[in-house]
Amino acid sequence: MHRIDEKVNALRAAREADPDSLLDKAFKAAAPAFIGMVAGKAFQMVWDKGVGRRNLRKGLATDAPQGLAMSLLFAAASAAFGAVVSQLSDRGSQALVDRKHRKTR
C-alpha cells in the first residue's frame, strides 16, 4: 500500500511542479494543429493552381484528374511540408509559453 501512496504523491508533486497551466497546455496543442491545418490547405491551393496551369498548357481542363505519379508526388510533398510546419509550430508555441513564464517570474 505504501508503494501506491508514494507513487500517487510523486505524481501529485510532479503535477504541482509543472509550470504550464491548463490554458498553456491547450494552446500548445491547439495552435500547432490549427497552423498545420491552415498551412496544409494553403499548400493544396497552391498545388491545385499549379496543376491547373499545367493542365491548361496541355490543353486539358484545369480540374482534370491527376495521374498516379502526380498524386504520389503531391502526397510526398504535402507530408514533407506538413512535417516541417508541424515542427516549427510546435517549437513556436513552446517558445511563446516559455516566454510567458519568464515574464511572470
Side-chain angles (χ1 to χ4, degrees):
M1 231 18 201
H2 291 292
R3 283 189 357 208
I4 295 171
D5 286 341
E6 290 171 2
K7 184 68 174 173
V8 168
N9 289 337
L11 289 172
R12 182 182 304 120
R15 184 181 49 86
E16 290 172 353
D18 187 9
D20 291 345
S21 67
L22 182 61
L23 187 61
D24 293 338
K25 290 179 182 184
F27 175 75
K28 289 191 313 187
F34 180 73
I35 291 168
M37 183 177 58
V38 170
K41 211 47 154 157
F43 182 82
Q44 184 178 8
M45 287 173 42
V46 169
W47 180 271
D48 289 343
K49 193 171 189 173
V51 169
R53 286 183 186 163
R54 183 177 166 266
N55 287 344
L56 282 177
R57 281 184 296 212
K58 286 184 169 185
L60 301 171
T62 57
D63 59 350
Q66 299 178 29
L68 178 63
M70 287 298 286
S71 295
L72 289 174
L73 183 62
F74 171 75
S78 177
F81 182 73
V84 168
V85 168
S86 175
Q87 284 295 315
L88 292 176
S89 61
D90 281 342
R91 290 179 185 177
S93 63
Q94 182 64 48
L96 285 173
V97 169
D98 290 344
R99 191 166 128 206
K100 178 187 155 218
H101 287 273
R102 280 194 306 269
K103 284 184 177 183
T104 58
R105 287 183 195 172

